[in-house]
Amino acid sequence: MNRNFLEKSAAEAAPLLLGKLLCHRTPEGLAAGMIVEAEAYCGPEDDAAHSFGGRRTARTEAMFGPPGHAYVFSIYGMHRCFNVVTAPEGSPQAVLIRALEPVEGLELMAARRGTADPLLLCSGPGRLCQALDIGLAQYGLDLCGEELFLAEYRDFSPGEICVSPRVNVDYAVEYRDRLWRFFVKDSPYVSRVPRRYTARATLSRL
DNA sequence: TGTCCGATTGGT
DNA sequence: CCAATCGGACAG
């Protein structure tokens, strides 16, 4: 797929990723799901982002590269999180993919996840990485490639997209309450329904 | 080298 | 609510 739409800020790109298919081809088969929830991490100014302050290390390196590549990191020693790098090269921004609606390879996902409940396969950043078998081995991969890639699938109108603050970023001070979490309205596959702050996405806020 | 901690998850 | 579990960031 064309990476042009990822050449913008993470906050602009995140809602555009909703409805896209995230696919991973492995020797075991193809597993894919439609993105229904994503969060923007907006670079050096964003104190919730790994690239805050321009921090450039082996871990964050992928975010400094061109858009349309994979930024994968491990968390809590046992989970992985997958991000789509956005913004022009040199601007370290990324969109965390938080939930998918399973579309292809449900059996394979179930085997990897240890449950067949479709609501528990890809609803959560750690869960979807386990279901699609995305790990550090996929770090930096070009998402316009043949192994791990994005594909057109569905389009959502602004009225079908909701926003809320990002999940678990209370450590951030300045940007903690930014409405940079985007999710598909009424999708049962969203990782968790926010209590407060639920709102219609207003594209003017970006 | 040593310490601290998390963009999570699953089970009490 | 709480523990699991370890790579990365940073201080020394």
Side-chain angles (χ1 to χ4, degrees):
Chain A
M1 103 175 302
N2 198 324
R3 87 183 73 223
N4 291 346
F5 78 104
L6 296 173
E7 197 130 1
K8 49 192 76 179
S9 75
E12 288 178 284
L16 300 178
L17 280 164
L18 299 182
K20 299 288 190 290
L21 216 53
L22 174 61
C23 316
H24 193 196
R25 246 190 258 286
T26 65
E28 298 80 49
L30 176 70
M34 178 182 74
I35 299 172
V36 297
E37 180 184 352
E39 286 179 350
Y41 286 84
C42 300
E45 291 188 4
D46 180 1
D47 55 358
H50 292 161
S51 54
F52 176 59
R55 186 196 288 127
R56 187 167 191 164
T57 64
R59 177 171 72 150
T60 64
E61 188 57 32
M63 278 194 281
F64 287 82
H69 289 248
Y71 168 48
V72 183
F73 65 90
S74 49
I75 186 74
Y76 293 102
M78 49 174 71
H79 303 294
R80 252 57 65 195
C81 289
F82 167 79
N83 297 247
V84 175
V85 173
T86 79
E89 185 164 359
S91 178
Q93 306 192 37
V95 174
L96 170 70
I97 304 304
R98 290 193 54 89
L100 308 175
E101 174 179 322
V103 170
E104 189 70 41
L106 286 270
E107 198 171 301
L108 185 52
M109 293 182 189
R112 289 166 173 164
R113 289 277 303 126
T115 175
D117 184 344
L119 294 174
L120 296 177
L121 293 178
C122 301
S123 296
R127 289 170 175 174
L128 72 89
C129 280
Q130 188 179 25
L132 300 202
D133 193 25
I134 295 172
L136 296 183
Q138 281 68 45
Y139 185 93
L141 284 186
D142 183 354
L143 300 177
C144 295
E146 295 290 304
E147 183 193 333
L148 182 62
F149 55 95
L150 296 168
E152 298 287 357
Y153 189 66
R154 248 201 86 164
D155 283 316
F156 291 106
S157 63
E160 297 174 286
I161 298 175
C162 291
V163 299
S164 83
R166 294 170 291 181
V167 176
N168 288 340
V169 295
D170 289 347
Y171 56 86
V173 181
E174 290 282 319
Y175 286 72
R176 134 173 70 197
D177 296 320
R178 286 307 183 96
L179 303 181
W180 282 343
R181 177 184 186 228
F182 303 83
F183 57 98
V184 175
K185 186 174 188 282
D186 298 329
S187 169
Y189 296 98
V190 166
S191 71
R192 75 184 229 197
V193 183
R195 306 181 173 206
R196 300 167 290 210
Y197 301 114
T198 308
R200 260 319 151 78
T202 54
L203 299 179
S204 58
R205 276 262 181 185
L206 304 178

